[in-house]
Each structure stands twice: as C-alpha cells, then as structure tokens.
Amino acid sequence: MEITTHDVFLVIDVQRDFCPGGALPVPSGDEVVPIINQIAQRFEHVVLTQDWHPKHHLSFASSHPGKASLHVVEASYGEQTLWPDHCVQGSAGAEFHPSLDIPHAELILRKGFRREIDSYSAFQENDRRTKTGLAGYLRERGITRVFLAGLAYDYCVRFSAMDTKAAGFEAVVIENACRAIALGNSIEETMNDFRRSGVQQIYFKL
Ligand code: VGL
Ligand code: ZN
C-alpha cells in the first residue's frame, strides 16, 4: 500500500487507562503500542487523540448513584453506556502509554471534555451534532484518506472510522493495530458497520 502526503494516520486513545493496569483496561491494549510506533514511521502526517474527561463526567458510573459500569442510561442525546472513571484531565491515567513514541505527530486532539456529552468519535461527540473540528483541519491540510488504529476497536476506533467516511474521507482501519473491549456482539457489529459503509479493513505488514 502506497502512503502519500494526502494520507494521515489517526491514532486513537493509546492511553494508560485503556491498557492493562488502567482504569478501563482493553484486553491486551498495550500490544498495539510497538505496532503503532512502527506504522507511524511510514506516515508523514500523524494525529493522536486523547480521551480527556473532567471529573464527574456524565459517562462515569460514579456520576449516577446506584448505577454500575456498563449499564446504559438515557442521556439528553440518547443512550449512553457508563464506564469506570477514566482519562480524567491531568491524571496519570489520561497520559499516553509511556512507550508510545511518535515525536513527529502533528496534532493531539482531546475529546470528551464537555461534562454533559461523551465523545467516542474523533470527529463529533455522542450527541452526533457537536463537531470537534477534525474534519475541517484535515480538509484544510489536503488530507483525503485516514488510516485508523488504537483503542478501543469497538468504541472509539469504530465511531471515528464511521465518521471519517461520513465526513467524505477514505477510511482504512488497520486491524492488527487495534484491540477491542468486546461487550456482547460489539466486535461483530463493528465489522458489519465497516463492511456496510465502505470502511476498508487491512492488516499492515511490518
Ligand atoms: C473509549 C469508552 C469510553 C475508547 C473511551 O477509547 O474506546 N471507550 N471512553
Ligand atoms: Zn471515555
């Protein structure tokens, strides 16, 4: 696969809290770090996202007395899954994995910073209305194709890939550089979404 100056590598939420030992660990989440480091070297343009919640964020089960993690509540914008407190702004858990090594990354996009709205996608928040500005940034920079990898495959990678396509860019998910939370049928549903909407799925040979 030929990578050009019109491609960007969008690295989703490779943070301590999503790795083993963190607050919301994705099984084997840390395995993506060396793979992503290598892939990033092949790209001129790299953007990192960072889940970045205020204390008492609406997506935290602790903000809903009597409700446990993984329960679904009705937010103003519809269903919202509850999670353990994670990626709190300025906390150690919100830091990138210490072995993530992509010094040439051009932008760190923080998301989920509004207390009342969660944001799985790097492009728009879970209300499906509030934009992050990423589509405009990429378009102004002449980007036409977005390669995605990171954590978690079935949440933030999934929503970011779907919105990449919806925003008019080509979307390519690097399957071997993602790990999933795997709740119910979430992995199968993710793959079905990708197939239906023309999100490409590849294995990146290192
Ligand atoms: C994520 C759940 C809550 C993710 C972020 O990065 O996939 N999942 N916040
Ligand atoms: Zn989050």
Side-chain angles (χ1 to χ4, degrees):
M1 178 153 310
E2 190 69 29
I3 292 159
T4 78
T5 191
H6 302 291
D7 293 322
V8 70
F9 185 29
L10 182 59
V11 178
I12 304 292
D13 297 0
V14 182
Q15 291 166 264
R16 290 178 183 270
D17 269 345
F18 295 124
C19 292
L24 175 38
V26 178
S28 304
D30 53 338
E31 289 179 4
V32 303
V33 175
I35 302 170
I36 285 173
N37 286 343
Q38 277 197 60
I39 295 172
Q41 291 179 25
R42 308 268 290 269
F43 284 82
E44 177 184 348
H45 303 299
V46 181
V47 171
L48 313 177
T49 70
Q50 194 172 24
D51 212 36
W52 195 251
H53 301 307
K55 286 179 193 164
H56 312 299
H57 191 250
L58 146 136
S59 76
F60 295 170
S62 63
S63 303
H64 304 262
K67 297 257 161 50
S69 285
L70 308 186
H71 282 203
V72 176
V73 296
E74 198 62 31
S76 58
Y77 49 80
E79 291 191 345
Q80 171 65 51
T81 300
L82 298 182
W83 306 104
D85 291 26
H86 66 279
C87 298
V88 172
Q89 295 171 1
S91 68
E95 293 169 5
F96 290 113
H97 188 287
S99 301
L100 191 71
D101 185 22
I102 315 179
H104 67 292
E106 296 170 357
L107 174 71
I108 296 171
L109 182 102
R110 289 172 168 170
K111 62 184 181 60
F113 51 77
R114 288 182 178 81
R115 207 196 77 85
E116 303 298 334
I117 317 178
D118 201 5
S119 190
Y120 294 152
S121 166
F123 290 88
Q124 59 179 356
E125 304 194 1
N126 286 12
D127 63 358
R128 318 306 292 158
R129 271 203 294 273
T130 305
K131 306 294 180 191
T132 65
L134 182 59
Y137 173 87
L138 296 177
R139 213 172 314 281
E140 274 199 45
R141 304 283 313 284
I143 299 295
T144 55
R145 187 167 59 167
V146 180
F147 289 73
L148 299 97
L151 307 172
Y153 178 71
D154 41 352
Y155 286 89
C156 288
V157 175
R158 174 189 186 174
F159 281 79
S160 296
M162 296 299 288
D163 286 345
T164 295
K165 198 80 188 132
F169 304 96
E170 285 304 306
V172 185
V173 172
I174 305 174
E175 298 271 328
N176 55 316
C178 300
R179 294 295 182 274
I181 294 174
L183 278 186
N185 298 322
S186 61
I187 295 177
E188 222 182 303
E189 287 166 8
T190 299
M191 296 207 181
N192 288 337
D193 270 3
F194 289 172
R195 245 175 272 123
R196 268 196 299 268
S197 50
V199 172
Q200 294 176 67
Q201 297 169 265
I202 66 161
Y203 285 79
F204 201 102
K205 292 240 173 58
L206 297 167

